[in-house]
Amino acid sequence: MRVLLVADIHANLTALDAVIADAGPVDAVWCLGDTVGYGPRPNECSDWVAANASITVLGNHDAACLGRVDITEFNPAAQAATRWTAGNLSARTREWLASLPFQVVEGDLTLVHGSPRDPVWEYLLDAASANENFAYFDTRVCLVGHTHVPAVFARTRDGRGAVARPARADTAFELTARRCIVNPGSVGQPRDGDPRAAYAILDTAAGSLTPRRCDYDIAETQRQMAEAELPPVLSARLAYGL
Ligand code: ZN
């Protein structure tokens, strides 16, 4: 089965459309959360994910836009975007987001937004924090989002540590050799210095995962954000991928 893996779409419909076209035919879509927040098209992105993804988990921004979590720890721009999103969600989007689980186990894979230890809030940015999280899931592989940085953390051979492996675009890596935690990066707001949309293709038969990047019309998303009067700083960062 060829699975399109998306995370952190963040209401960036232009980026999502580019990813869908770039991915080509797939057998399934799985979404690792934060479908909304930051961007200008929360309902359109949610409608597509709700209709096409067989698995979707809840992200921290999704929860924030539902009023389920305290947003005082968000920076002012993120707070403003959360308030805008909360005020612009359709009843259908709100109901769909409210139905999403924090974690899903599918065969040999666990899917969460942040980390298996703390599915909503923890950021897995380095091998040390990834290492601590191997104790919190039972499957071979855990798929995460949240950091907006493509990453692979693999268990060391002795099963006691973790190492960061390169998550190079268009380079498939085996998911079967070691336990690992994988982040496909962000569709709608990449933060690794590469402004292109990030996603991954999972091949369940081959047991491999391929990180991918694709260009999208960043200026169009920025135009939509200006029209919605979303904070300019959130719009500007899209051009830099930071
Ligand atoms: Zn996010």
Side-chain angles (χ1 to χ4, degrees):
M1 185 166 74
R2 194 168 185 270
V3 181
L4 167 58
L5 203 56
V6 291
D8 298 285
I9 296 166
H10 281 299
N12 188 338
L13 184 65
T14 313
L16 177 60
D17 283 341
V19 163
I20 295 164
D22 192 66
V26 292
D27 304 303
V29 179
W30 295 350
C31 175
L32 295 164
D34 276 6
T35 304
V36 306
Y38 291 130
R41 293 289 184 267
N43 297 312
E44 293 84 346
C45 290
S46 295
D47 283 347
W48 187 87
V49 175
N52 291 282
S54 53
I55 299 174
T56 303
V57 294
L58 188 79
N60 59 316
H61 283 263
D62 302 323
C65 294
L66 292 174
R68 281 207 201 158
V69 299
D70 180 12
I71 61 167
T72 51
E73 279 186 38
F74 282 10
N75 64 50
Q79 288 189 28
T82 302
R83 282 192 292 272
W84 180 89
T85 304
N88 283 278
L89 290 182
S90 67
R92 185 170 60 195
T93 300
R94 187 172 285 280
E95 198 176 314
W96 174 70
L97 289 172
S99 75
L100 299 177
F102 290 112
Q103 178 177 311
V104 172
V105 174
E106 173 76 14
D108 220 7
L109 301 118
T110 298
L111 292 86
V112 293
H113 179 64
S115 77
R117 178 165 57 186
D118 181 351
V120 176
W121 289 109
E122 185 178 16
Y123 291 88
L124 294 184
L125 282 161
D126 54 49
S129 53
N131 186 30
E132 293 171 8
N133 270 275
F134 278 100
Y136 292 83
F137 65 102
D138 297 324
T139 55
R140 178 167 287 278
V141 176
C142 182
L143 303 172
V144 301
H146 195 41
T147 66
H148 300 204
V149 176
V152 181
F153 301 107
R155 208 68 168 128
T156 51
R157 208 178 294 275
D158 65 8
R160 289 189 197 155
V163 287
R165 291 267 166 80
R168 286 193 199 98
D170 303 320
T171 306
F173 59 86
E174 300 297 316
L175 291 173
T176 48
R178 305 264 179 87
R179 292 188 77 206
C180 57
I181 298 173
V182 182
N183 188 327
S186 168
V187 169
Q189 197 198 78
R191 289 182 194 159
D192 60 343
D194 181 343
R196 294 177 298 166
Y199 68 100
I201 296 291
L202 173 68
D203 185 331
T204 57
S208 69
L209 188 142
T210 308
R212 304 267 296 257
R213 300 305 280 251
C214 75
D215 287 313
Y216 74 96
D217 189 346
I218 294 172
E220 171 58 19
T221 297
Q222 291 174 323
R223 190 194 62 74
Q224 294 171 5
M225 290 178 77
E227 193 178 73
E229 297 181 12
L230 282 156
V233 64
L234 297 177
S235 172
R237 72 189 298 180
L238 294 177
Y240 305 104
L242 289 171

